[in-house]
Amino acid sequence: MTADLPSAYAPQQEAALKAIAKWMKGGGDQVFRLFGYAGTGKTTLARRIADDADDLVLFGAFTGKAASVMRQKGCHDAATIHSLIYRTKEGDEGGPTFTLNRAGPASKADLIVIDECSMVDSDLGNDLLAFGKPVLVLGDPAQLPPVRGGGFFTEAEPDVMLTEVHRQAADDPIVRMAMTVREGGRLSLGEFGESRVVSRRTLDPAEVLDCDQVLVGMNKTRRLYNNRLRQLAGHTDPMPSIGEKLVCLRNDRTKGLLNGSTWTVQALRPPPRPDTIRLDVVPEDDPALRRRAVDIKVLRQVIEGSEEEIPFSMRRETDEFTYGYALTVHKAQGSQWDKVVLFDESYAFREHRARWLYTGLTRAARAITVVV
DNA sequence: CTCATCCC
Protein backbone atom coordinates (compact mmCIF):
# COMPACT_ATOMS: atom_id res chain seq x y z
CA MET A 1 0.00 0.00 0.00
CA THR A 2 1.03 3.59 -0.43
CA ALA A 3 2.75 5.37 2.45
CA ASP A 4 1.86 8.97 1.66
CA LEU A 5 -1.32 9.06 3.71
CA PRO A 6 -2.18 12.34 5.38
CA SER A 7 -1.60 12.44 9.14
CA ALA A 8 -4.71 14.50 9.80
CA TYR A 9 -8.25 14.13 8.54
CA ALA A 10 -11.12 16.56 8.36
CA PRO A 11 -13.68 16.09 11.19
CA GLN A 12 -16.15 14.49 8.80
CA GLN A 13 -13.51 12.00 7.65
CA GLU A 14 -12.50 11.20 11.24
CA ALA A 15 -16.12 10.48 12.05
CA ALA A 16 -16.38 8.25 8.97
CA LEU A 17 -13.31 6.22 9.98
CA LYS A 18 -14.76 5.71 13.46
CA ALA A 19 -18.13 4.59 12.13
CA ILE A 20 -16.50 2.12 9.76
CA ALA A 21 -14.21 0.75 12.50
CA LYS A 22 -17.27 0.14 14.68
CA TRP A 23 -19.14 -1.56 11.83
CA MET A 24 -16.15 -3.81 11.09
CA LYS A 25 -16.33 -5.25 14.62
CA GLY A 26 -19.51 -6.95 13.48
CA GLY A 27 -23.01 -7.49 14.74
CA GLY A 28 -24.60 -4.88 12.50
CA ASP A 29 -25.76 -4.68 8.91
CA GLN A 30 -24.04 -6.62 6.15
CA VAL A 31 -23.52 -3.48 4.08
CA PHE A 32 -21.84 -0.21 5.05
CA ARG A 33 -22.43 2.63 2.64
CA LEU A 34 -19.71 5.30 2.52
CA PHE A 35 -20.86 7.87 0.01
CA GLY A 36 -19.27 11.10 -1.01
CA TYR A 37 -19.33 13.66 -3.76
CA ALA A 38 -16.36 14.47 -5.97
CA GLY A 39 -13.60 16.16 -3.99
CA THR A 40 -14.65 14.93 -0.55
CA GLY A 41 -11.66 12.65 -0.06
CA LYS A 42 -13.40 9.30 -0.46
CA THR A 43 -10.35 7.79 -2.09
CA THR A 44 -8.11 8.70 0.81
CA LEU A 45 -10.44 7.02 3.25
CA ALA A 46 -10.74 3.93 1.09
CA ARG A 47 -6.98 3.53 1.14
CA ARG A 48 -6.84 4.03 4.89
CA ILE A 49 -9.56 1.47 5.57
CA ALA A 50 -7.74 -1.03 3.40
CA ASP A 51 -4.46 -0.36 5.22
CA ASP A 52 -5.99 -0.85 8.67
CA ALA A 53 -7.73 -4.15 7.95
CA ASP A 54 -5.91 -7.29 9.15
CA ASP A 55 -8.26 -9.85 7.68
CA LEU A 56 -8.59 -10.96 4.09
CA VAL A 57 -9.93 -7.96 2.22
CA LEU A 58 -11.11 -8.31 -1.37
CA PHE A 59 -11.43 -5.29 -3.62
CA GLY A 60 -13.94 -5.16 -6.44
CA ALA A 61 -15.67 -2.90 -8.91
CA PHE A 62 -18.36 -3.31 -11.53
CA THR A 63 -16.16 -2.63 -14.57
CA GLY A 64 -12.68 -3.82 -15.40
CA LYS A 65 -11.63 -0.21 -15.82
CA ALA A 66 -12.87 0.80 -12.35
CA ALA A 67 -11.04 -2.20 -10.87
CA SER A 68 -7.87 -1.08 -12.64
CA VAL A 69 -8.22 2.42 -11.16
CA MET A 70 -8.62 0.79 -7.73
CA ARG A 71 -5.39 -1.16 -8.22
CA GLN A 72 -3.60 2.06 -9.17
CA LYS A 73 -4.82 3.58 -5.89
CA GLY A 74 -3.16 0.75 -3.99
CA CYS A 75 -6.04 -1.71 -3.58
CA HIS A 76 -4.26 -5.00 -4.21
CA ASP A 77 -5.66 -7.40 -6.79
CA ALA A 78 -8.84 -5.37 -7.24
CA ALA A 79 -10.99 -7.30 -9.73
CA THR A 80 -14.40 -7.14 -11.34
CA ILE A 81 -17.24 -8.20 -9.08
CA HIS A 82 -18.13 -10.74 -11.74
CA SER A 83 -14.76 -12.47 -11.39
CA LEU A 84 -15.17 -12.54 -7.58
CA ILE A 85 -18.60 -14.15 -7.52
CA TYR A 86 -19.33 -15.89 -10.82
CA ARG A 87 -18.20 -18.83 -12.88
CA THR A 88 -18.65 -18.38 -16.62
CA LYS A 89 -20.07 -20.82 -19.06
CA GLU A 90 -20.02 -20.47 -22.80
CA GLY A 91 -23.62 -19.92 -23.89
CA ASP A 92 -25.07 -21.48 -27.06
CA GLU A 93 -25.78 -18.29 -28.98
CA GLY A 94 -25.94 -15.47 -26.44
CA GLY A 95 -22.29 -15.27 -25.39
CA PRO A 96 -21.14 -16.05 -21.87
CA THR A 97 -23.52 -16.91 -19.04
CA PHE A 98 -22.75 -16.36 -15.37
CA THR A 99 -23.49 -18.68 -12.46
CA LEU A 100 -22.63 -18.11 -8.80
CA ASN A 101 -19.21 -19.46 -7.88
CA ARG A 102 -20.04 -20.54 -4.31
CA ALA A 103 -16.47 -21.65 -3.53
CA GLY A 104 -14.90 -18.72 -5.38
CA PRO A 105 -12.88 -15.75 -4.08
CA ALA A 106 -15.84 -13.98 -2.43
CA SER A 107 -16.52 -17.02 -0.23
CA LYS A 108 -13.09 -16.72 1.41
CA ALA A 109 -13.12 -12.99 2.16
CA ASP A 110 -13.55 -11.39 5.59
CA LEU A 111 -14.44 -8.07 4.00
CA ILE A 112 -15.30 -7.01 0.47
CA VAL A 113 -14.70 -3.39 -0.56
CA ILE A 114 -16.54 -2.17 -3.64
CA ASP A 115 -15.64 1.11 -5.34
CA GLU A 116 -17.80 3.11 -7.77
CA CYS A 117 -20.80 1.32 -6.30
CA SER A 118 -23.27 3.58 -8.15
CA MET A 119 -22.60 1.36 -11.18
CA VAL A 120 -23.83 -1.83 -9.46
CA ASP A 121 -27.33 -2.93 -10.47
CA SER A 122 -29.77 -5.00 -8.43
CA ASP A 123 -28.94 -8.40 -9.98
CA LEU A 124 -25.23 -8.11 -9.29
CA GLY A 125 -25.78 -6.46 -5.90
CA ASN A 126 -28.08 -9.25 -4.72
CA ASP A 127 -25.71 -11.95 -5.95
CA LEU A 128 -22.80 -10.28 -4.16
CA LEU A 129 -24.73 -10.13 -0.87
CA ALA A 130 -25.71 -13.81 -1.22
CA PHE A 131 -22.20 -14.71 -0.02
CA GLY A 132 -23.11 -13.29 3.38
CA LYS A 133 -19.83 -11.39 3.73
CA PRO A 134 -19.55 -7.83 5.07
CA VAL A 135 -19.49 -5.42 2.15
CA LEU A 136 -18.18 -1.85 2.35
CA VAL A 137 -19.38 0.12 -0.65
CA LEU A 138 -17.89 3.43 -1.74
CA GLY A 139 -19.55 5.65 -4.25
CA ASP A 140 -20.98 8.92 -5.40
CA PRO A 141 -24.80 9.00 -5.42
CA ALA A 142 -24.77 12.00 -7.76
CA GLN A 143 -23.29 9.89 -10.55
CA LEU A 144 -25.28 8.09 -13.23
CA PRO A 145 -27.08 4.91 -12.15
CA PRO A 146 -26.79 1.72 -14.23
CA VAL A 147 -28.78 1.64 -17.46
CA ARG A 148 -30.82 -1.29 -16.18
CA GLY A 149 -31.61 -2.56 -12.71
CA GLY A 150 -31.19 0.74 -10.87
CA GLY A 151 -28.43 1.78 -8.48
CA PHE A 152 -28.66 -1.12 -6.03
CA PHE A 153 -26.43 0.45 -3.36
CA THR A 154 -26.96 4.15 -4.07
CA GLU A 155 -30.77 3.96 -3.93
CA ALA A 156 -30.55 3.44 -0.15
CA GLU A 157 -29.46 6.03 2.40
CA PRO A 158 -25.74 6.18 3.18
CA ASP A 159 -24.30 5.23 6.57
CA VAL A 160 -21.82 8.05 6.12
CA MET A 161 -22.12 10.84 3.59
CA LEU A 162 -19.04 12.94 2.91
CA THR A 163 -20.18 16.40 1.84
CA GLU A 164 -17.30 18.63 2.95
CA VAL A 165 -15.22 19.44 -0.07
CA HIS A 166 -11.60 19.69 0.99
CA ARG A 167 -9.87 23.02 0.69
CA GLN A 168 -7.92 22.66 -2.52
CA ALA A 169 -10.96 21.17 -4.25
CA ALA A 170 -13.26 23.93 -3.00
CA ASP A 171 -11.37 26.40 -5.18
CA ASP A 172 -11.43 24.10 -8.18
CA PRO A 173 -13.86 25.45 -10.82
CA ILE A 174 -14.70 21.91 -11.99
CA VAL A 175 -15.74 20.87 -8.46
CA ARG A 176 -17.78 24.07 -8.10
CA MET A 177 -19.54 23.53 -11.42
CA ALA A 178 -20.28 19.95 -10.41
CA MET A 179 -21.74 21.17 -7.09
CA THR A 180 -23.95 23.69 -8.89
CA VAL A 181 -25.31 21.00 -11.21
CA ARG A 182 -25.82 18.50 -8.40
CA GLU A 183 -27.85 21.05 -6.46
CA GLY A 184 -30.13 21.51 -9.47
CA GLY A 185 -28.55 24.73 -10.71
CA ARG A 186 -27.63 25.72 -14.23
CA LEU A 187 -24.21 26.55 -15.61
CA SER A 188 -23.71 30.11 -16.76
CA LEU A 189 -21.65 31.04 -19.80
CA GLY A 190 -18.18 32.33 -19.05
CA GLU A 191 -14.64 31.47 -18.02
CA PHE A 192 -13.80 29.87 -14.69
CA GLY A 193 -10.07 29.44 -14.26
CA GLU A 194 -8.93 27.14 -17.05
CA SER A 195 -12.50 25.93 -17.58
CA ARG A 196 -15.33 27.55 -19.51
CA VAL A 197 -18.91 27.26 -20.63
CA VAL A 198 -19.44 28.27 -24.26
CA SER A 199 -22.24 28.16 -26.79
CA ARG A 200 -21.96 25.95 -29.84
CA ARG A 201 -21.83 29.01 -32.13
CA THR A 202 -18.72 30.48 -30.55
CA LEU A 203 -16.84 27.19 -30.18
CA ASP A 204 -13.44 27.06 -31.85
CA PRO A 205 -12.90 23.64 -33.50
CA ALA A 206 -9.19 23.95 -32.67
CA GLU A 207 -10.07 23.75 -28.99
CA VAL A 208 -11.90 20.47 -29.55
CA LEU A 209 -8.91 19.03 -31.41
CA ASP A 210 -6.56 20.19 -28.65
CA CYS A 211 -8.31 18.51 -25.69
CA ASP A 212 -7.56 15.08 -24.23
CA GLN A 213 -11.11 13.76 -24.58
CA VAL A 214 -14.41 14.77 -26.17
CA LEU A 215 -17.54 13.60 -24.35
CA VAL A 216 -21.11 13.52 -25.65
CA GLY A 217 -24.42 12.02 -24.57
CA MET A 218 -25.78 10.00 -27.46
CA ASN A 219 -24.23 7.35 -29.66
CA LYS A 220 -25.54 9.13 -32.75
CA THR A 221 -23.54 12.22 -31.74
CA ARG A 222 -20.52 10.12 -30.83
CA ARG A 223 -20.38 8.57 -34.31
CA LEU A 224 -20.96 11.96 -35.99
CA TYR A 225 -18.21 13.67 -34.00
CA ASN A 226 -15.76 10.83 -34.46
CA ASN A 227 -16.24 11.17 -38.21
CA ARG A 228 -15.90 14.96 -38.04
CA LEU A 229 -12.79 14.88 -35.90
CA ARG A 230 -11.20 12.35 -38.23
CA GLN A 231 -12.04 14.58 -41.19
CA LEU A 232 -10.58 17.63 -39.45
CA ALA A 233 -7.38 15.68 -38.83
CA GLY A 234 -7.24 14.77 -42.52
CA HIS A 235 -8.09 11.06 -42.34
CA THR A 236 -9.96 9.85 -45.42
CA ASP A 237 -9.56 6.06 -45.11
CA PRO A 238 -12.45 4.53 -43.15
CA MET A 239 -9.88 2.35 -41.36
CA PRO A 240 -7.48 3.81 -38.79
CA SER A 241 -4.07 5.31 -39.65
CA ILE A 242 -0.98 5.59 -37.46
CA GLY A 243 -1.52 8.07 -34.62
CA GLU A 244 -5.30 7.69 -34.51
CA LYS A 245 -7.22 7.37 -31.28
CA LEU A 246 -9.24 4.23 -30.54
CA VAL A 247 -11.33 3.03 -27.62
CA CYS A 248 -11.41 -0.58 -26.45
CA LEU A 249 -14.91 -2.09 -26.22
CA ARG A 250 -14.22 -5.40 -24.47
CA ASN A 251 -11.94 -6.55 -21.65
CA ASP A 252 -9.17 -9.01 -22.37
CA ARG A 253 -7.20 -9.72 -19.21
CA THR A 254 -4.41 -11.68 -20.87
CA LYS A 255 -3.74 -8.84 -23.32
CA GLY A 256 -4.28 -6.10 -20.75
CA LEU A 257 -7.23 -4.64 -22.64
CA LEU A 258 -9.88 -2.80 -20.64
CA ASN A 259 -13.29 -1.83 -21.93
CA GLY A 260 -13.40 1.98 -22.06
CA SER A 261 -9.63 2.49 -22.22
CA THR A 262 -8.25 4.68 -25.00
CA TRP A 263 -5.34 3.77 -27.26
CA THR A 264 -3.17 5.22 -30.03
CA VAL A 265 -2.36 3.35 -33.22
CA GLN A 266 1.39 2.82 -33.35
CA ALA A 267 1.75 0.58 -36.41
CA LEU A 268 -0.31 -1.08 -39.13
CA ARG A 269 0.18 -4.76 -39.87
CA PRO A 270 -0.92 -6.75 -42.92
CA PRO A 271 -4.63 -7.62 -42.60
CA PRO A 272 -5.08 -11.32 -41.69
CA ARG A 273 -8.39 -11.48 -43.57
CA PRO A 274 -10.27 -9.15 -45.90
CA ASP A 275 -12.83 -8.40 -43.17
CA THR A 276 -10.25 -7.88 -40.39
CA ILE A 277 -7.47 -5.37 -39.73
CA ARG A 278 -4.40 -5.85 -37.54
CA LEU A 279 -2.75 -3.03 -35.57
CA ASP A 280 -0.25 -2.28 -32.84
CA VAL A 281 -1.74 0.04 -30.23
CA VAL A 282 -0.29 1.78 -27.16
CA PRO A 283 -2.31 2.89 -24.13
CA GLU A 284 -3.16 6.57 -24.09
CA ASP A 285 -4.01 7.14 -20.45
CA ASP A 286 -1.05 5.50 -18.70
CA PRO A 287 1.84 5.42 -21.18
CA ALA A 288 4.35 5.34 -18.31
CA LEU A 289 2.71 2.27 -16.86
CA ARG A 290 3.24 0.12 -19.92
CA ARG A 291 5.18 1.09 -22.98
CA ARG A 292 4.76 -2.13 -24.87
CA ALA A 293 2.41 -2.08 -27.80
CA VAL A 294 -0.43 -4.58 -28.00
CA ASP A 295 -1.10 -6.47 -31.22
CA ILE A 296 -4.83 -6.40 -31.96
CA LYS A 297 -7.11 -7.79 -34.64
CA VAL A 298 -10.40 -6.00 -35.21
CA LEU A 299 -13.27 -6.65 -37.59
CA ARG A 300 -13.68 -3.76 -40.02
CA GLN A 301 -17.36 -3.52 -39.21
CA VAL A 302 -16.59 -3.15 -35.48
CA ILE A 303 -14.19 -0.25 -36.21
CA GLU A 304 -16.90 1.33 -38.35
CA GLY A 305 -19.39 0.97 -35.50
CA SER A 306 -21.77 -1.25 -37.39
CA GLU A 307 -25.01 -1.94 -35.57
CA GLU A 308 -25.34 -5.37 -37.15
CA GLU A 309 -25.13 -8.41 -34.93
CA ILE A 310 -21.81 -10.18 -35.23
CA PRO A 311 -21.81 -13.90 -34.37
CA PHE A 312 -20.11 -14.69 -31.05
CA SER A 313 -17.83 -17.25 -32.65
CA MET A 314 -16.44 -14.44 -34.81
CA ARG A 315 -16.26 -11.93 -31.98
CA ARG A 316 -14.30 -14.30 -29.77
CA GLU A 317 -11.50 -14.51 -32.31
CA THR A 318 -11.04 -10.74 -32.52
CA ASP A 319 -10.61 -7.70 -30.30
CA GLU A 320 -13.18 -4.93 -30.21
CA PHE A 321 -12.14 -1.33 -30.85
CA THR A 322 -13.66 1.72 -32.49
CA TYR A 323 -12.71 5.38 -32.89
CA GLY A 324 -12.26 7.04 -29.52
CA TYR A 325 -12.07 10.77 -30.23
CA ALA A 326 -15.57 11.17 -28.81
CA LEU A 327 -17.05 8.92 -26.11
CA THR A 328 -20.41 8.92 -24.37
CA VAL A 329 -20.42 10.05 -20.74
CA HIS A 330 -21.81 6.62 -19.83
CA LYS A 331 -18.79 4.95 -21.39
CA ALA A 332 -16.45 7.44 -19.75
CA GLN A 333 -17.78 6.77 -16.26
CA GLY A 334 -14.81 5.62 -14.20
CA SER A 335 -12.24 7.38 -16.39
CA GLN A 336 -10.61 10.81 -16.12
CA TRP A 337 -8.65 13.11 -18.42
CA ASP A 338 -6.86 16.43 -17.84
CA LYS A 339 -8.61 18.48 -20.54
CA VAL A 340 -12.15 17.53 -21.52
CA VAL A 341 -14.62 19.08 -23.96
CA LEU A 342 -18.15 18.12 -22.92
CA PHE A 343 -21.02 18.61 -25.36
CA ASP A 344 -24.08 19.11 -23.19
CA GLU A 345 -26.70 16.57 -24.25
CA SER A 346 -28.12 16.25 -20.75
CA TYR A 347 -31.62 17.05 -22.08
CA ALA A 348 -31.72 13.56 -23.60
CA PHE A 349 -31.47 11.88 -20.21
CA ARG A 350 -34.62 13.30 -18.63
CA GLU A 351 -34.79 12.47 -14.94
CA HIS A 352 -31.07 11.70 -14.94
CA ARG A 353 -30.05 14.91 -16.69
CA ALA A 354 -28.32 16.46 -13.67
CA ARG A 355 -26.51 13.20 -12.92
CA TRP A 356 -25.44 12.94 -16.55
CA LEU A 357 -23.97 16.44 -16.52
CA TYR A 358 -22.36 15.93 -13.09
CA THR A 359 -20.75 12.70 -14.26
CA GLY A 360 -19.49 14.40 -17.43
CA LEU A 361 -18.05 17.38 -15.54
CA THR A 362 -16.24 15.21 -13.02
CA ARG A 363 -14.42 13.29 -15.77
CA ALA A 364 -12.10 16.33 -16.11
CA ALA A 365 -9.13 16.57 -13.74
CA ARG A 366 -7.71 19.95 -14.80
CA ALA A 367 -9.93 21.84 -17.26
CA ILE A 368 -13.32 21.42 -18.84
CA THR A 369 -15.04 23.18 -21.72
CA VAL A 370 -18.79 22.68 -21.60
CA VAL A 371 -20.49 23.31 -24.92
CA VAL A 372 -24.15 24.26 -24.46
C1' DC B 1 -34.11 13.83 -27.40
C1' DT B 2 -31.31 7.55 -24.13
C1' DC B 3 -27.50 4.98 -21.99
C1' DA B 4 -24.66 -0.22 -20.78
C1' DT B 5 -21.84 -4.16 -18.12
C1' DC B 6 -19.66 -8.97 -17.20
C1' DC B 7 -15.64 -13.91 -19.07
C1' DC B 8 -11.45 -16.89 -21.27
Side-chain angles (χ1 to χ4, degrees), chain A residues 242-259:
Chain A
I242 288 171
E244 287 217 74
K245 177 171 179 165
L246 303 179
V247 60
C248 173
L249 302 174
R250 196 185 65 213
N251 294 338
D252 186 329
R253 260 190 68 211
T254 59
K255 291 174 97 167
L257 302 178
L258 291 169
N259 187 0

Side-chain angles (χ1 to χ4, degrees), chain A residues 21-32:
Chain A
K22 189 179 168 196
W23 169 76
M24 279 169 68
K25 283 179 186 156
D29 293 339
Q30 185 185 3
V31 179
F32 190 98

Side-chain angles (χ1 to χ4, degrees), chain A residues 63-333:
Chain A
T63 64
K65 177 88 203 221
S68 148
V69 172
M70 263 184 118
R71 289 194 297 275
Q72 281 176 39
K73 289 174 183 171
C75 301
H76 290 299
D77 302 325
T80 63
I81 300 171
H82 285 77
S83 71
L84 297 179
I85 68 170
Y86 292 133
R87 198 191 297 282
T88 55
K89 277 181 191 160
E90 213 52 60
D92 309 332
E93 294 288 326
T97 56
F98 300 96
T99 51
L100 273 191
N101 185 7
R102 298 233 173 245
S107 69
K108 296 171 179 74
D110 297 304
L111 170 68
I112 302 175
V113 180
I114 303 296
D115 199 9
E116 296 280 2
C117 74
S118 61
M119 293 170 143
V120 179
D121 62 24
S122 54
D123 287 349
L124 191 69
N126 280 313
D127 284 348
L128 174 63
L129 296 189
F131 284 82
K133 303 295 183 183
V135 180
L136 171 61
V137 299
L138 313 167
D140 184 343
Q143 281 209 32
L144 280 166
V147 169
R148 280 200 177 138
F152 179 75
F153 291 114
T154 42
E155 269 170 8
E157 288 303 308
D159 296 285
V160 167
M161 180 71 209
L162 300 174
T163 54
E164 276 173 22
V165 173
H166 52 80
R167 204 183 308 148
Q168 78 186 53
D171 297 328
D172 180 349
I174 298 168
V175 172
R176 298 176 75 138
M177 288 159 94
M179 283 171 68
T180 301
V181 166
R182 173 168 48 76
E183 288 160 2
R186 288 178 60 112
L187 299 177
S188 41
L189 292 172
E191 297 209 12
F192 313 93
E194 286 184 82
S195 298
R196 38 200 232 111
V197 182
V198 297
S199 73
R200 252 159 244 254
R201 291 176 291 106
T202 60
L203 178 70
D204 180 1
E207 186 174 348
V208 182
L209 284 171
D210 177 56
C211 76
D212 298 312
Q213 189 60 55
V214 175
L215 299 179
V216 301
M218 293 177 286
N219 278 318
K220 198 174 75 180
T221 316
R222 176 179 60 83
R223 281 190 284 269
L224 184 73
Y225 284 18
N226 271 325
N227 289 337
R228 258 192 219 163
L229 288 161
R230 292 195 72 230
Q231 256 176 20
L232 278 168
H235 298 295
T236 50
D237 192 320
M239 288 301 111
S241 309
I242 288 171
E244 287 217 74
K245 177 171 179 165
L246 303 179
V247 60
C248 173
L249 302 174
R250 196 185 65 213
N251 294 338
D252 186 329
R253 260 190 68 211
T254 59
K255 291 174 97 167
L257 302 178
L258 291 169
N259 187 0
S261 60
T262 50
W263 300 74
T264 305
V265 179
Q266 191 185 56
L268 310 175
R269 291 175 179 255
R273 284 163 44 147
D275 63 353
T276 308
I277 59 165
R278 189 175 170 194
L279 311 164
D280 283 346
V281 293
V282 288
E284 209 184 38
D285 36 3
D286 49 5
L289 212 76
R290 221 187 56 195
R291 290 247 162 75
R292 280 191 54 196
V294 181
D295 178 358
I296 60 167
K297 290 199 254 321
V298 191
L299 290 165
R300 293 175 64 100
Q301 54 174 323
V302 172
I303 290 276
E304 288 172 322
S306 158
E307 303 274 305
E308 296 161 49
E309 275 296 307
I310 300 156
F312 280 94
S313 56
M314 219 163 157
R315 290 175 58 171
R316 233 179 281 120
E317 294 162 9
T318 54
D319 305 299
E320 295 189 19
F321 283 74
T322 191
Y323 293 108
Y325 300 98
L327 302 179
T328 64
V329 165
H330 279 80
K331 190 77 166 173
Q333 200 169 6

